[in-house]
Amino acid sequence: MRRHQLDIQLKTPDQIEKMRAAGLVVAEALRRMREAVAPGVSTADLDAIAESTIREAGAVPSFKGYHGFPASICSSVNEQVVHAIPAADQVLRDGDLISIDCGAILDGWHGDAAITVGVGEVDPALLKMTAVAEDAMWAGIAAAARGATNGRGRLTDISHAVEKAVRRGGRYGIVDGYGGHGIGTEMHQDPHVLNHGRPGRGPRLVPGLALAIEPMITMGSPRTVELSDGWTVITRDRSMAAHVEHSMALLDDGVWVLTAFDGGRGRLGDLVTARQPVGSPAI
């Protein structure tokens, strides 16, 4: 099924099950990379972990070859916001903050998620920013679940919930021009999900809708620039940035966070669909 206007792909419950399988591959790759992050580790080392984990699962890295991107992850350090290319000479140092964005394709369906991790001893202010980004992501997912359940939800309810959570958390920049997206048989689909805005606008939040919710915030200005490699996006004022992401799908009885091991139950409780098993640790 495809809604007209924005070309939104709605998934059946069986298709969402397949997306869950892809999401778990991503979750495992991110788990292994999180454990590997340490001073002296290069972003190329992390990329190798991701690719081997994805291929061991019988999946394919979503990012590798996507519009020519040369790696399996985006590894954005400090003022790098998104889309940074892993490199052997980019070695993590004590106090760094790294965003790791990872995607996998399994049986034609995509999973996509990102984490931000501190390296060694990190300024508590940076850890707080990361926690605010995570809280904002979960607030957006919760808004989607509630909106689908009550039948009154609109896309920008997610955007508003993300923005409200960020503003409540402190004085952070919400990155201009970047956000979440639909996901399914392609990594990026309609609709685009901004991380700010007024509620009550855009397409309805309905069962079958699958989205990647993706806050990106900074310690300073929300403005960014793209480097000459054609990929890496950094903050214009060189302030530090945090980026987190989960893929989620709406079902008749709640939301399923496809890239969280516990499906999101640890953060969302009964908002999570009863279709998925409980008891696995949250990513």
Side-chain angles (χ1 to χ4, degrees), residues 20 24 27 138 246 255-269 272-273 276-283:
R20 170 60 164 169
L24 287 174
W138 287 108
H246 266 311
V255 67
W256 199 353
V257 184
L258 304 171
T259 47
F261 284 121
D262 71 345
R265 192 169 295 277
R267 291 294 299 250
L268 302 175
V272 173
T273 176
Q276 57 92 40
V278 298
S280 299
I283 187 170

Side-chain angles (χ1 to χ4, degrees), residues 15 24 29 68 97 112 198 252 262:
Q15 290 170 336
L24 287 174
L97 202 62
D112 187 11
R198 295 176 60 184
D252 289 331
D262 71 345

Side-chain angles (χ1 to χ4, degrees), residues 197-223:
R198 295 176 60 184
R201 299 181 176 184
R204 291 191 179 277
L205 300 174
V206 296
L209 183 63
L211 302 170
I213 309 302
E214 193 169 5
M216 302 166 213
I217 65 176
T218 77
M219 293 292 286
S221 169
R223 298 185 177 226

Side-chain angles (χ1 to χ4, degrees), residues 71-276:
S72 296
I73 63 169
C74 300
S75 52
S76 305
V77 180
N78 297 337
E79 76 276 8
Q80 296 172 342
V81 182
V82 285
H83 303 163
I85 301 169
D89 60 0
Q90 186 175 43
V91 177
L92 299 177
R93 299 175 298 178
D94 197 61
D96 282 346
L97 202 62
I98 179 172
S99 162
I100 306 169
D101 194 353
C102 182
I105 311 167
L106 184 64
D107 295 330
W109 295 92
H110 286 256
D112 187 11
I115 56 176
T116 292
V117 184
V119 183
E121 293 293 323
V122 178
D123 184 341
L126 299 180
L127 297 179
K128 180 187 175 185
M129 176 178 64
T130 300
V132 168
E134 291 174 351
D135 288 346
M137 174 184 65
W138 287 108
I141 295 170
R146 293 190 188 99
T149 300
N150 65 32
R152 299 190 298 271
R154 296 278 188 171
L155 183 69
T156 63
D157 296 349
I158 300 171
S159 307
H160 181 71
V162 170
E163 179 179 13
K164 186 176 179 181
V166 173
R167 301 301 183 213
R168 186 169 57 242
R171 296 176 62 87
Y172 301 104
I174 299 176
V175 173
D176 289 339
Y178 294 88
H181 49 88
I183 185 169
T185 51
E186 297 88 29
M187 181 165 56
H188 294 118
Q189 296 181 328
D190 286 339
H192 183 58
V193 187
L194 290 172
N195 289 315
H196 57 85
R198 295 176 60 184
R201 299 181 176 184
R204 291 191 179 277
L205 300 174
V206 296
L209 183 63
L211 302 170
I213 309 302
E214 193 169 5
M216 302 166 213
I217 65 176
T218 77
M219 293 292 286
S221 169
R223 298 185 177 226
T224 60
V225 294
E226 187 178 272
L227 299 185
S228 59
D229 63 10
W231 287 103
T232 307
V233 176
I234 67 169
T235 53
R236 186 182 294 273
D237 62 2
R238 303 300 195 272
S239 62
M240 301 282 266
H243 165 221
V244 295
E245 177 184 20
H246 266 311
S247 297
M248 49 140 275
L250 298 173
L251 289 100
D252 289 331
D253 64 341
V255 67
W256 199 353
V257 184
L258 304 171
T259 47
F261 284 121
D262 71 345
R265 192 169 295 277
R267 291 294 299 250
L268 302 175
D270 290 341
L271 291 174
V272 173
T273 176
R275 284 181 66 92
Q276 57 92 40

